[in-house]
Amino acid sequence: MKISIVTVTYNCKDLAEETIENVLSQTYSDIEYVVIDGGSKDGTVNVIKEHSHRISFWISEPDKGIFDAMNKSLGYVTGKYVLFMNAGDKFVNNHVVADIFEGKDYDEDLVYGDVYIQNELGYLLRKADPIYLKQPKKRDFIFKSQGICHQSLFTKTSVLKQVKFDLNYPIGADYDTTAKVFLKGNHSLRYVGCPIAVFDDRTGGASHGKIIQMYKERMDMFGCRGLDVYVKMYFVYLKQSAKTVIGKIFSSYVMNKRKKKYTKKLS
């Protein structure tokens, strides 16, 4: 079963090199690797060229952002499943794809596992907890986590090509797309029972510090509005802001408490 891995890059030479080398180290026998660069000027393209003999397809040209680049990649991938491992992120080891797919023939739309969150403290294991298994209401999709990190999610390519990423959601297009894949496909998921990827959170994700915009996007995605929704949105925002302020005031105490949850090495 061919598996496609896509890496999207833009002016991220060092991170791109780390991710490309990590993907190319996978031992699985049938990986198709596609790299989509947004027209980098910092040497990222040179890094891609250095590994081009092992990359199935790559291109460097201007785009409209990460989700536009991810949509572009769908014109080139041919694997049964596709995973987006963007610059800075990586697989937990060089055999995890083989562990999941070697000798297997899945048909679920979403094949997923756990993820390690990496920041200045080390690595925190986050167990997958997909919202789709909880009979969610529209309001749940707005205020709760999807429960699957996209770096640890293999999506059936044929369904993803029908859905694609909606560029109207610059923060949460991946959240929107995964929900549509689940709803439009065969409503099936497979949990592989292990960590798949490491998400680099040292600089924050696309939604970092943009919680209001994130909620507004989700309201539009799932057609859920109303005074009660707006009230809850701003209540959650105030709660998050308060936690940030308190964390800064008692930074030493908070950091020491959080350190207990982290490990310096991956298991």
Side-chain angles (χ1 to χ4, degrees):
M1 179 163 44
K2 182 187 291 183
I3 302 300
S4 298
I5 309 297
V6 173
T7 294
V8 170
T9 62
Y10 181 66
N11 287 342
C12 52
K13 177 183 175 182
D14 294 337
L15 293 178
E17 186 165 26
E18 179 182 10
T19 298
I20 289 171
E21 290 179 352
N22 175 268
V23 173
L24 292 176
S25 74
Q26 287 297 305
T27 61
Y28 185 61
S29 57
D30 198 1
I31 284 181
E32 171 187 67
Y33 191 28
V34 172
V35 179
I36 306 294
D37 181 74
S40 294
K41 305 297 183 182
D42 70 334
T44 300
V45 175
N46 290 333
V47 171
I48 297 170
K49 287 180 177 179
E50 288 172 8
H51 298 86
S52 61
H53 61 291
R54 299 183 60 200
I55 295 173
S56 306
F57 176 85
W58 72 274
I59 191 171
S60 179
E61 62 183 21
D63 55 47
K64 299 176 183 177
I66 185 170
F67 293 118
D68 183 39
M70 289 162 73
N71 275 340
K72 188 182 298 184
S73 74
L74 297 177
Y76 304 105
V77 298
T78 61
K80 184 172 182 178
Y81 289 95
V82 58
L83 180 144
F84 294 90
M85 189 67 73
N86 294 329
D89 305 319
K90 51 187 176 288
F91 288 107
V92 293
N93 54 50
N94 67 351
H95 53 80
V96 65
V97 179
D99 292 344
I100 295 169
F101 289 104
E102 201 74 67
K104 307 293 196 309
D105 187 20
Y106 304 139
D107 195 48
E108 289 84 357
D109 291 328
L110 304 170
V111 177
Y112 67 97
D114 307 320
V115 66
Y116 279 102
I117 308 298
Q118 180 184 9
N119 65 19
E120 68 279 2
L121 297 177
Y123 300 90
L124 175 66
L125 177 62
R126 180 172 292 174
K127 290 282 189 177
D129 186 22
I131 193 172
Y132 312 105
L133 300 179
K134 303 176 182 179
Q135 298 182 327
K137 299 178 181 179
K138 287 184 178 180
R139 182 170 166 145
D140 295 329
F141 279 110
I142 296 173
F143 296 109
K144 294 183 179 180
S145 169
Q146 191 173 36
I148 307 173
C149 188
H150 87 255
Q151 289 87 350
S152 290
L153 173 65
F154 294 91
T155 304
K156 187 180 287 184
T157 306
S158 59
V159 183
L160 185 57
K161 285 185 176 183
Q162 296 174 31
V163 174
K164 295 188 176 180
F165 297 93
D166 191 333
L167 302 189
N168 290 312
Y169 306 130
I171 290 179
D174 52 343
Y175 192 110
D176 171 68
T177 298
T178 302
K180 287 177 179 175
V181 167
F182 179 77
L183 295 172
K184 290 179 178 289
N186 57 25
H187 298 78
S188 60
L189 308 91
R190 176 181 289 269
Y191 174 56
V192 297
C194 68
I196 294 176
V198 178
F199 166 54
D200 187 348
D201 194 36
R202 287 172 290 185
T203 58
S207 62
H208 185 71
K210 301 177 181 177
I211 189 170
I212 292 294
Q213 184 181 346
M214 179 184 73
Y215 286 146
K216 286 182 176 179
E217 285 188 8
R218 292 182 183 181
M219 287 180 194
D220 189 45
M221 291 173 196
F222 302 104
C224 185
R225 298 182 181 277
L227 181 60
D228 62 322
V229 177
Y230 280 101
V231 170
K232 182 175 177 64
M233 177 182 71
Y234 283 100
F235 175 77
V236 173
Y237 171 73
L238 291 173
K239 183 178 179 181
Q240 287 291 114
S241 298
K243 287 175 66 176
T244 300
V245 171
I246 293 171
K248 288 181 178 179
I249 294 173
F250 299 101
S251 59
S252 179
Y253 170 78
V254 172
M255 290 292 281
N256 287 332
K257 188 174 182 180
R258 290 180 64 194
K259 282 180 181 179
K260 297 179 181 179
K261 299 180 181 180
Y262 284 78
T263 177
K264 291 298 180 182
K265 296 181 179 181
L266 302 182
S267 58

